[in-house]
Amino acid sequence: MDFENDYKTMDPSYMESIWWVFKTLWDKGLIYDGHKILPYCPRCSTPLSNFETNQGYQEVSDPAITVRFRVRGAENTYVLAWTTTPWTLPSNMALAVGAEIRYVEVKDGQDTYLLAKDRLSVYYKDESSYDLRRELVGNDMVGMEYEPLFPFFQEKRS
């Protein structure tokens, strides 16, 4: 490396050399205004390289499960939680709710479930298979306690 004659992209002399190259290409008619469609990664919010797109596309199925967590102090009442990381369930310590998301409490046979209102039609195809008890928002559920699926980290209660 030549540290004595290095350049930095923020140095005015470097920027001027880039502008000189650009103008020279413009004068030769080699610069044009156009559009090019680039593959785009919505997850990263970045364009993808040809190398990345040439690797191919493959449909995959991610494991996902719905788990019911028994609400403490409410017989046969459960919070339904959907997860794509079931391997984390043994160490589960909390459930998250959206403060303003609408939730419903439904009675299904002997059991009562709390779940997001927008997911109700996913779990119940027929409205006659449950009884809608009430609607609430996530803020109404803050502080609610549930029994862990596994007792590994459960507090000792007297």
Side-chain angles (χ1 to χ4, degrees), residues 72 88-93 148-156:
R72 281 204 173 111
T88 64
L89 291 172
S91 62
N92 176 272
M93 300 285 290
L149 296 177
F150 302 96
F152 307 128
F153 302 106
Q154 191 168 348
E155 288 180 31
K156 299 287 186 214

Side-chain angles (χ1 to χ4, degrees), residues 77-138:
T77 300
Y78 304 90
V79 175
L80 294 182
W82 177 85
T83 181
T84 58
T85 57
W87 51 87
T88 64
L89 291 172
S91 62
N92 176 272
M93 300 285 290
L95 295 175
V97 293
E100 299 300 320
I101 293 177
R102 307 245 7 122
Y103 292 87
V104 291
E105 181 180 278
V106 298
K107 181 86 170 160
D108 180 352
Q110 299 300 312
D111 296 326
T112 301
Y113 296 107
L114 293 159
L115 67 149
K117 183 178 181 181
D118 287 346
R119 305 305 293 161
L120 190 57
S121 63
V122 173
Y123 291 99
Y124 292 98
K125 303 298 183 198
D126 181 8
E127 289 184 25
S128 66
S129 62
Y130 65 88
D131 178 27
L132 181 62
R133 293 293 175 97
R134 67 180 172 135
E135 286 192 28
L136 57 162
V137 293

Side-chain angles (χ1 to χ4, degrees), residues 26 29-35:
W26 177 266
L30 299 173
I31 303 292
Y32 64 92
D33 184 14
H35 298 280

